[in-house]
Amino acid sequence: MLNLDPALFPKLTTRKALVIVDAQNDFLSPDGALPVTLPNNLTEHISDLVKAFRPYGDIIWVRSVYEESRDPEDESILTSDAPMIGGRRAVARGRRPQANPHDQPSSECPEAFLTAGGRTARPASAEAPPALKSLMR
């Protein structure tokens, strides 16, 4: 058996971080494009979490900003590790290809505001609600 002495290991300084993704009006405001309704008072919960975590590490705020309509056909979303052949995924024998989400009309999708022809995003939609904006520093 190999004996390891932990005292000989190098000391590594580690840091903790809280990553908050898309805490913005489109999701947290009742009149947003895709409002999150559960849990109730999500903005308040995020605020409480940020305040409680701040002494222990860094807080990283990430938001989605769409400055213009985007065509979903132009997106490269990888849903498989299968190789690409001629711009299309190769399908292994015996496996059925997965349905292409782009084959569905965008008007039926609640996220259509992110695509070409979808509804236009409001300027403040990517902004954080005032209760969270004051916590960003």
Side-chain angles (χ1 to χ4, degrees), residues 26-29 34-39 42:
D26 258 348
F27 308 116
L28 297 176
S29 173
L34 290 172
V36 176
T37 57
L38 293 173
L42 182 57

Side-chain angles (χ1 to χ4, degrees), residues 12 29 40 52 63 73 83-84 88 94 98-99 103 129 133 135:
L12 299 175
S29 173
N40 292 328
R63 65 183 176 138
E73 295 297 324
M84 296 282 286
R88 301 188 73 88
Q98 294 179 346
D103 292 341
K133 209 171 204 179
L135 296 173

Side-chain angles (χ1 to χ4, degrees), residues 40-89:
N40 292 328
N41 302 323
L42 182 57
T43 301
E44 186 178 322
H45 291 299
I46 294 170
S47 176
D48 292 344
L49 178 62
V50 167
K51 291 172 187 174
F53 184 84
R54 192 171 300 279
Y56 300 102
D58 297 320
I59 299 170
I60 300 167
W61 299 86
V62 180
R63 65 183 176 138
S64 298
V65 178
Y66 299 93
E67 295 176 347
E68 59 186 44
S69 294
R70 302 169 358 163
D71 186 349
E73 295 297 324
D74 292 339
E75 296 298 315
S76 296
I77 300 173
L78 301 178
T79 59
S80 168
D81 59 357
M84 296 282 286
I85 297 175
R88 301 188 73 88
R89 288 245 174 255

Side-chain angles (χ1 to χ4, degrees), residues 9-10 20-21 26 33 36 40 48 63 72 92 105 107-108 110 127 129:
F9 291 170
I20 301 185
V21 179
D26 258 348
V36 176
N40 292 328
D48 292 344
R63 65 183 176 138
S107 62
E108 294 176 15
E127 295 297 319

Side-chain angles (χ1 to χ4, degrees), residues 92-116:
R93 265 189 232 181
R95 294 176 67 193
R96 285 188 233 155
Q98 294 179 346
N100 184 347
H102 303 305
D103 292 341
Q104 299 175 6
S106 64
S107 62
E108 294 176 15
C109 176
E111 296 182 13
F113 73 99
L114 301 177
T115 62

